[in-house]
Amino acid sequence: MNAQALVRYNGVARTLHWVIAIGIIIDITLGLGHDAMKDMFPVMPTHKAIGITILALSLFRLLWRVIHSAPPLPATMAGWQIGLAHGLHWLFYFMMIAVPMSGWIMSSAGQYPLEWFGLFDIPKWPVTKDSPLAEAAHEAHELMGKLFIPLIILHVGAALYHHLLLKDDVARRML
Ligand code: HEM
Ligand code: HEM
């Protein structure tokens, strides 16, 4: 395919993709490493504030995606590959909302205040400590937070496979 025929994701979609991706990678690192890093800076308040930002941006991104369709994939891709790519993308959209939402619900039941980088308070959901909802949110947050890791590896692997081996335009659509 020649370079002129390349249709990229629009600028808003590309910017949101990379800002959210970086935010998620930072939040996974802070979430899993909070014990090791806790003497350096307020790890969990930062984790929570970044997570709430990811939630807000992801809700906007999902709306944007529903309104603007994705650029076409190469005609050479098999139906199962397209199905797998779309399935993983929609799973990502679900997790970009469900992971921070479960963290927010779980943390609403905790004793610590919720605030956005010390600038304003984030309201708490009416959830009580040890309630089934708070416990389910906690379980879901830990499980899905960790599930992000193999899925991101799969996603990055697929992007590199397209770019380096197949040498098609799939990855350049997001650059
Ligand atoms: C996309 C955003 C987020 C990601 C990827 C993420 C990921 C993670 C991960 C991987 C862990 C460690 C789980 C474990 O040790 O098993 C964690 C822990 C935690 N997260 Fe998040 N998180 C996000 C957003 C949030 C938000 C918005 C809040 C609250 C407002 C939050 C609150 C917490 C808390 C309190 C823990 C510690 C749980 C514990 O150790 O018992 N997270 N997060
Ligand atoms: C870390 C968390 C990440 C998440 C949650 C994520 C999520 C997504 C989603 C949902 C899409 C589909 C966009 C749409 O059709 O609306 C997408 C596309 C894409 N992502 Fe990521 N991404 C992440 C990281 C990365 C990284 C690190 C790379 C770098 C290799 C990457 C490369 C791409 C490419 C090339 C596309 C376009 C491919 C296509 O449309 O099939 N992503 N990503």
Side-chain angles (χ1 to χ4, degrees):
M1 200 185 271
N2 68 52
Q4 279 161 342
L6 173 67
V7 183
R8 290 194 161 91
Y9 280 90
N10 59 59
V12 173
R14 296 202 310 269
T15 307
L16 286 170
H17 173 270
W18 292 111
V19 170
I20 291 171
I22 291 167
I24 288 176
I25 291 167
I26 293 174
D27 246 10
I28 293 172
T29 311
L30 297 181
L32 291 174
H34 68 94
D35 263 348
M37 293 184 267
K38 67 176 184 290
D39 294 333
M40 297 186 230
F41 69 103
V43 180
M44 284 324 280
T46 310
H47 174 87
K48 292 173 188 176
I50 293 175
I52 292 290
T53 312
I54 293 171
L55 175 62
L57 292 177
S58 299
L59 287 169
F60 178 73
R61 179 172 170 199
L62 180 60
L63 185 71
W64 189 265
R65 177 64 173 80
V66 171
I67 301 169
H68 303 86
S69 52
L73 285 164
T76 47
M77 273 178 74
W80 68 267
Q81 289 174 319
I82 296 176
L84 191 68
H86 285 166
L88 181 59
H89 291 166
W90 288 109
L91 179 62
F92 268 154
Y93 278 110
F94 171 75
M95 287 175 56
M96 287 182 315
I97 291 165
V99 172
M101 196 65 209
S102 57
W104 189 5
I105 293 172
M106 149 178 80
S107 298
S108 297
Q111 54 173 326
Y112 299 106
L114 279 179
E115 44 179 45
W116 197 77
F117 299 109
L119 293 177
F120 56 83
D121 288 341
I122 297 164
K124 287 190 168 189
W125 295 96
V127 193
T128 47
K129 198 165 163 52
D130 300 328
S131 63
L133 178 59
E135 281 176 10
H138 197 158
E139 290 288 320
H141 191 72
E142 293 193 350
L143 195 73
M144 284 191 290
K146 287 181 186 143
L147 180 64
F148 252 132
I149 299 169
L151 294 180
I152 292 170
I153 293 172
L154 187 69
H155 180 67
V156 173
L160 292 177
Y161 173 69
H162 278 279
H163 196 63
L164 301 176
L165 291 175
L166 299 181
K167 299 187 193 300
D168 61 22
D169 281 336
V170 168
R172 288 206 293 143
R173 290 147 74 247
M174 196 49 102
L175 294 175

